[in-house]
Tab-separated table of all heavy atoms in Angstrom:
chain	number	residue	atom	x	y	z
V	230	LEU	N	-1.653	72.125	-5.667
V	230	LEU	CA	-2.052	71.365	-4.485
V	230	LEU	C	-1.899	72.188	-3.223
V	230	LEU	O	-0.855	72.785	-2.967
V	230	LEU	CB	-1.229	70.081	-4.369
V	230	LEU	CG	-1.376	69.061	-5.512
V	230	LEU	CD1	-0.392	67.931	-5.337
V	230	LEU	CD2	-2.810	68.531	-5.555
V	231	ILE	N	-2.953	72.203	-2.416
V	231	ILE	CA	-2.935	72.916	-1.137
V	231	ILE	C	-2.542	71.971	-0.009
V	231	ILE	O	-1.936	72.373	0.977
V	231	ILE	CB	-4.320	73.558	-0.862
V	231	ILE	CG1	-4.630	74.587	-1.948
V	231	ILE	CG2	-4.355	74.199	0.516
V	231	ILE	CD1	-6.023	75.182	-1.845
V	232	PHE	N	-2.875	70.704	-0.154
V	232	PHE	CA	-2.506	69.701	0.846
V	232	PHE	C	-2.400	68.335	0.165
V	232	PHE	O	-2.873	68.141	-0.954
V	232	PHE	CB	-3.537	69.639	1.985
V	232	PHE	CG	-4.898	69.195	1.531
V	232	PHE	CD1	-5.258	67.849	1.560
V	232	PHE	CD2	-5.842	70.117	1.080
V	232	PHE	CE1	-6.502	67.428	1.129
V	232	PHE	CE2	-7.092	69.704	0.642
V	232	PHE	CZ	-7.430	68.357	0.668
V	233	LEU	N	-1.765	67.407	0.857
V	233	LEU	CA	-1.689	66.021	0.400
V	233	LEU	C	-2.650	65.203	1.252
V	233	LEU	O	-2.671	65.379	2.471
V	233	LEU	CB	-0.262	65.484	0.537
V	233	LEU	CG	0.806	66.208	-0.290
V	233	LEU	CD1	2.183	65.658	0.045
V	233	LEU	CD2	0.525	66.088	-1.778
V	234	PRO	N	-3.433	64.312	0.653
V	234	PRO	CA	-4.408	63.550	1.443
V	234	PRO	C	-3.723	62.684	2.489
V	234	PRO	O	-2.625	62.169	2.274
V	234	PRO	CB	-5.131	62.698	0.394
V	234	PRO	CG	-4.191	62.621	-0.749
V	234	PRO	CD	-3.446	63.912	-0.764
V	235	ARG	N	-4.383	62.507	3.614
V	235	ARG	CA	-3.822	61.725	4.696
V	235	ARG	C	-3.626	60.263	4.298
V	235	ARG	O	-2.731	59.582	4.800
V	235	ARG	CB	-4.731	61.808	5.927
V	235	ARG	CG	-4.130	61.218	7.173
V	235	ARG	CD	-4.968	61.496	8.397
V	235	ARG	NE	-4.374	60.925	9.581
V	235	ARG	CZ	-4.889	61.035	10.799
V	235	ARG	NH1	-6.013	61.717	10.972
V	235	ARG	NH2	-4.288	60.480	11.834
V	236	SER	N	-4.456	59.784	3.365
V	236	SER	CA	-4.332	58.391	2.938
V	236	SER	C	-2.986	58.116	2.278
V	236	SER	O	-2.559	56.966	2.159
V	236	SER	CB	-5.469	58.050	1.964
V	236	SER	OG	-5.331	58.753	0.746
V	237	LEU	N	-2.305	59.181	1.882
V	237	LEU	CA	-0.997	59.038	1.245
V	237	LEU	C	-0.005	58.317	2.165
V	237	LEU	O	0.927	57.653	1.686
V	237	LEU	CB	-0.446	60.418	0.884
V	237	LEU	CG	0.344	60.545	-0.421
V	237	LEU	CD1	-0.527	60.207	-1.604
V	237	LEU	CD2	0.919	61.952	-0.553
V	238	THR	N	-0.217	58.432	3.457
V	238	THR	CA	0.698	57.809	4.415
V	238	THR	C	0.541	56.293	4.455
V	238	THR	O	1.306	55.618	5.168
V	238	THR	CB	0.470	58.380	5.830
V	238	THR	OG1	-0.874	58.092	6.253
V	238	THR	CG2	0.683	59.878	5.848
V	239	HIS	N	-0.409	55.738	3.702
V	239	HIS	CA	-0.588	54.289	3.626
V	239	HIS	C	0.188	53.675	2.469
V	239	HIS	O	0.147	52.461	2.271
V	239	HIS	CB	-2.068	53.939	3.500
V	239	HIS	CG	-2.858	54.222	4.736
V	239	HIS	ND1	-3.193	53.248	5.649
V	239	HIS	CD2	-3.372	55.383	5.232
V	239	HIS	CE1	-3.878	53.777	6.643
V	239	HIS	NE2	-4.001	55.069	6.406
V	240	LEU	N	0.890	54.511	1.718
V	240	LEU	CA	1.661	54.008	0.573
V	240	LEU	C	2.991	53.443	1.060
V	240	LEU	O	4.045	54.066	0.907
V	240	LEU	CB	1.880	55.140	-0.449
V	240	LEU	CG	0.617	55.731	-1.079
V	240	LEU	CD1	0.970	56.953	-1.922
V	240	LEU	CD2	-0.095	54.682	-1.929
V	241	THR	N	2.951	52.277	1.620
V	241	THR	CA	4.133	51.717	2.282
V	241	THR	C	5.237	51.310	1.318
V	241	THR	O	6.365	51.069	1.739
V	241	THR	CB	3.728	50.504	3.146
V	241	THR	OG1	3.011	49.569	2.335
V	241	THR	CG2	2.853	50.947	4.303
V	242	SER	N	4.932	51.192	0.023
V	242	SER	CA	5.960	50.853	-0.970
V	242	SER	C	6.597	52.089	-1.586
V	242	SER	O	7.572	51.976	-2.348
V	242	SER	CB	5.371	49.981	-2.082
V	242	SER	OG	4.905	48.750	-1.573
V	243	LEU	N	6.080	53.264	-1.265
V	243	LEU	CA	6.542	54.508	-1.900
V	243	LEU	C	8.003	54.788	-1.574
V	243	LEU	O	8.413	54.754	-0.419
V	243	LEU	CB	5.666	55.677	-1.428
V	243	LEU	CG	5.775	56.967	-2.239
V	243	LEU	CD1	5.263	56.757	-3.654
V	243	LEU	CD2	4.994	58.102	-1.563
V	244	ARG	N	8.784	55.081	-2.641
V	244	ARG	CA	10.199	55.387	-2.475
V	244	ARG	C	10.513	56.852	-2.801
V	244	ARG	O	11.434	57.421	-2.233
V	244	ARG	CB	11.048	54.477	-3.359
V	244	ARG	CG	10.937	53.000	-2.988
V	244	ARG	CD	11.830	52.143	-3.856
V	244	ARG	NE	11.654	50.726	-3.531
V	244	ARG	CZ	12.257	50.091	-2.528
V	244	ARG	NH1	13.083	50.781	-1.745
V	244	ARG	NH2	12.051	48.801	-2.316
V	245	ILE	N	9.755	57.424	-3.733
V	245	ILE	CA	10.000	58.815	-4.158
V	245	ILE	C	8.684	59.588	-4.131
V	245	ILE	O	7.704	59.160	-4.751
V	245	ILE	CB	10.616	58.870	-5.567
V	245	ILE	CG1	11.961	58.119	-5.590
V	245	ILE	CG2	10.796	60.309	-6.010
V	245	ILE	CD1	12.568	58.007	-6.988
V	246	LEU	N	8.691	60.720	-3.449
V	246	LEU	CA	7.527	61.614	-3.429
V	246	LEU	C	8.000	63.007	-3.808
V	246	LEU	O	8.791	63.627	-3.079
V	246	LEU	CB	6.877	61.634	-2.062
V	246	LEU	CG	5.716	62.631	-1.857
V	246	LEU	CD1	4.626	62.412	-2.889
V	246	LEU	CD2	5.147	62.531	-0.437
V	247	ASP	N	7.545	63.483	-4.953
V	247	ASP	CA	7.933	64.805	-5.462
V	247	ASP	C	6.701	65.697	-5.499
V	247	ASP	O	5.833	65.530	-6.339
V	247	ASP	CB	8.533	64.653	-6.862
V	247	ASP	CG	9.033	65.975	-7.433
V	247	ASP	OD1	8.913	66.998	-6.738
V	247	ASP	OD2	9.534	65.986	-8.573
V	248	ALA	N	6.639	66.651	-4.572
V	248	ALA	CA	5.491	67.557	-4.480
V	248	ALA	C	5.952	69.006	-4.471
V	248	ALA	O	5.308	69.870	-3.894
V	248	ALA	CB	4.667	67.251	-3.233
V	249	ARG	N	7.062	69.286	-5.128
V	249	ARG	CA	7.567	70.669	-5.168
V	249	ARG	C	6.703	71.537	-6.074
V	249	ARG	O	5.891	71.043	-6.856
V	249	ARG	CB	9.022	70.679	-5.642
V	249	ARG	CG	9.236	70.072	-7.003
V	249	ARG	CD	10.709	69.781	-7.259
V	249	ARG	NE	10.852	68.675	-8.182
V	249	ARG	CZ	11.503	68.734	-9.338
V	249	ARG	NH1	12.068	69.864	-9.730
V	249	ARG	NH2	11.591	67.681	-10.114
V	250	LEU	N	6.919	72.842	-5.970
V	250	LEU	CA	6.220	73.806	-6.812
V	250	LEU	C	4.706	73.639	-6.762
V	250	LEU	O	4.022	73.497	-7.771
V	250	LEU	CB	6.723	73.697	-8.266
V	250	LEU	CG	8.104	74.319	-8.512
V	250	LEU	CD1	8.695	73.809	-9.820
V	250	LEU	CD2	8.040	75.840	-8.521
V	251	ASN	N	4.188	73.656	-5.537
V	251	ASN	CA	2.740	73.644	-5.305
V	251	ASN	C	2.396	74.778	-4.351
V	251	ASN	O	3.173	75.726	-4.196
V	251	ASN	CB	2.307	72.278	-4.759
V	251	ASN	CG	2.135	71.245	-5.851
V	251	ASN	OD1	1.150	71.255	-6.591
V	251	ASN	ND2	3.104	70.334	-5.974
V	252	CYS	N	1.263	74.664	-3.702
V	252	CYS	CA	0.832	75.664	-2.714
V	252	CYS	C	0.572	74.984	-1.378
V	252	CYS	O	-0.366	75.345	-0.654
V	252	CYS	CB	-0.425	76.385	-3.196
V	252	CYS	SG	-0.285	77.132	-4.826
V	253	LEU	N	1.372	73.991	-1.035
V	253	LEU	CA	1.157	73.193	0.167
V	253	LEU	C	1.237	74.044	1.431
V	253	LEU	O	2.199	74.780	1.643
V	253	LEU	CB	2.185	72.062	0.252
V	253	LEU	CG	2.100	70.981	-0.838
V	253	LEU	CD1	3.230	69.980	-0.666
V	253	LEU	CD2	0.751	70.285	-0.793
Side-chain angles (χ1 to χ4, degrees):
L230 297 173
I231 297 175
F232 64 91
L233 298 175
R235 190 172 180 179
S236 67
L237 217 62
T238 62
H239 291 261
L240 298 173
T241 54
S242 297
L243 195 65
R244 297 182 183 277
I245 300 174
L246 175 56
D247 183 0
R249 59 195 152 123
L250 285 163
N251 278 284
C252 305
L253 294 177

